[in-house]
């Protein structure tokens, strides 16, 4: 997929001294959590991203030309055990997560807007608990993964009314069961 990049971004990508970082936001029920791969706090677009430094990992972000769902794995280590309980109690599956690539100038100011690298839904969270700290790993799945999920729909009035409450088109389907229908002249 081709992307249009700002001229400043293109110029920075061509330099030998490239300064880049990943920005991640995960939308939980209690609010959005934001991290970046640097140290300290980073403010972008009015939001504060907490630096993870070497404590965070992001798997390879793959973009394919064929119609295939490719996910990304996020891992955060060194989390205090007290905060792991919050992660265990959160409802997260199906909520959105985004990953951006930010480029910085020589003064560590963000050049243009970061490039959106991946958008997906949180799927599986694996939590490893140690004596004092732990690790959280969460998978972000591409929206194409929904194509693999079975659709449980029936030709019943009850199922039809879930989407269309006033539709009566399937009300007589049950009466058609085992009905003899004569076609043509008898």
């Amino acid at each position: 997929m081709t992307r249009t990049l700002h001229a400043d971004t293109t110029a920075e990508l061509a330099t030998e001294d490239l300064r880049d970082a990943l920005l991640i936001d995960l939308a939980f029920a209690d609010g959005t959590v934001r991290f970046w791969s640097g140290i300290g706090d980073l403010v972008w677009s009015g939001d504060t991203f907490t630096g993870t430094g070497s404590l965070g990992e992001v798997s390879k972000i793959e973009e394919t030309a064929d119609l295939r769902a490719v996910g990304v794995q996020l891992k955060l280590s060194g989390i205090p055990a007290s905060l792991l309980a919050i992660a265990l109690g959160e409802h997260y599956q199906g909520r959105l997560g985004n990953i951006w690539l930010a480029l910085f100038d020589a003064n560590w100011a963000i050049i243009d807007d970061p490039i959106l690298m991946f958008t997906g839904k949180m799927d599986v969270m694996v939590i490893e608990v140690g004596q004092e700290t732990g690790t959280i790993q969460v998978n972000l799945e591409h929206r194409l993964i929904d194509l693999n999920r079975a659709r449980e729909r029936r030709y019943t009035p009850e199922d039809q009314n879930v989407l269309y409450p006033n539709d009566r088109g399937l009300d007589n389907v049950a009466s058609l069961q085992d009905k003899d229908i004569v076609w043509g002249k008898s």
Side-chain angles (χ1 to χ4, degrees):
M1 178 169 97
T2 59
R3 300 178 195 269
T4 304
L5 299 177
H6 190 271
D8 293 340
T9 302
T10 306
E12 186 63 28
L13 286 171
T15 64
E16 289 183 21
D17 189 24
L18 181 64
R19 294 175 180 87
D20 64 338
L22 292 177
L23 281 63
I24 299 168
D25 74 359
L26 303 171
F28 287 96
D30 292 337
T32 302
V33 178
R34 295 176 178 86
F35 298 105
W36 78 292
S37 59
I39 298 174
D41 288 343
L42 173 72
V43 177
W44 171 60
S45 189
D47 296 320
T48 302
F49 292 78
T50 303
T52 60
S54 61
L55 299 177
E57 293 178 28
V58 176
S59 69
K60 178 181 171 184
I61 299 174
E62 186 179 349
E63 194 170 81
T64 64
D66 55 343
L67 193 62
R68 183 169 50 103
V70 180
V72 175
Q73 226 175 49
L74 305 174
K75 190 173 187 179
L76 190 58
S77 306
I79 299 172
S82 60
L83 294 178
L84 291 176
I86 296 171
L88 285 169
E90 274 289 331
H91 175 70
Y92 61 89
Q93 285 189 319
R95 296 192 176 272
L96 286 180
N98 298 302
I99 302 173
W100 291 275
L101 173 66
L103 300 176
F104 299 88
D105 62 14
N107 298 320
W108 287 96
I110 294 179
I111 298 173
D112 196 36
D113 278 332
I115 303 161
L116 183 62
M117 300 294 291
F118 188 86
T119 295
K121 293 181 180 180
M122 288 186 269
D123 186 22
V124 176
M125 188 180 292
V126 177
I127 299 176
E128 297 173 12
V129 181
Q131 293 251 337
E132 295 179 20
T133 64
T135 301
I136 295 177
Q137 175 182 307
V138 64
N139 295 337
L140 292 180
E141 297 296 340
H142 195 276
R143 65 181 177 206
L144 287 177
I145 201 76
D146 283 339
L147 294 176
N148 293 334
R149 288 191 172 87
R151 302 293 186 239
E152 296 292 330
R153 300 301 313 258
R154 305 285 185 256
Y155 289 108
T156 64
E158 295 81 14
D159 193 48
Q160 183 71 359
N161 287 334
V162 169
L163 295 176
Y164 307 102
N166 297 322
D167 188 353
R168 302 289 165 231
L170 296 178
D171 284 355
N172 296 317
V173 169
S175 67
L176 295 175
Q177 182 125 5
D178 298 326
K179 185 170 190 155
D180 290 327
I181 299 176
V182 180
W183 291 97
K185 296 180 182 179
S186 53

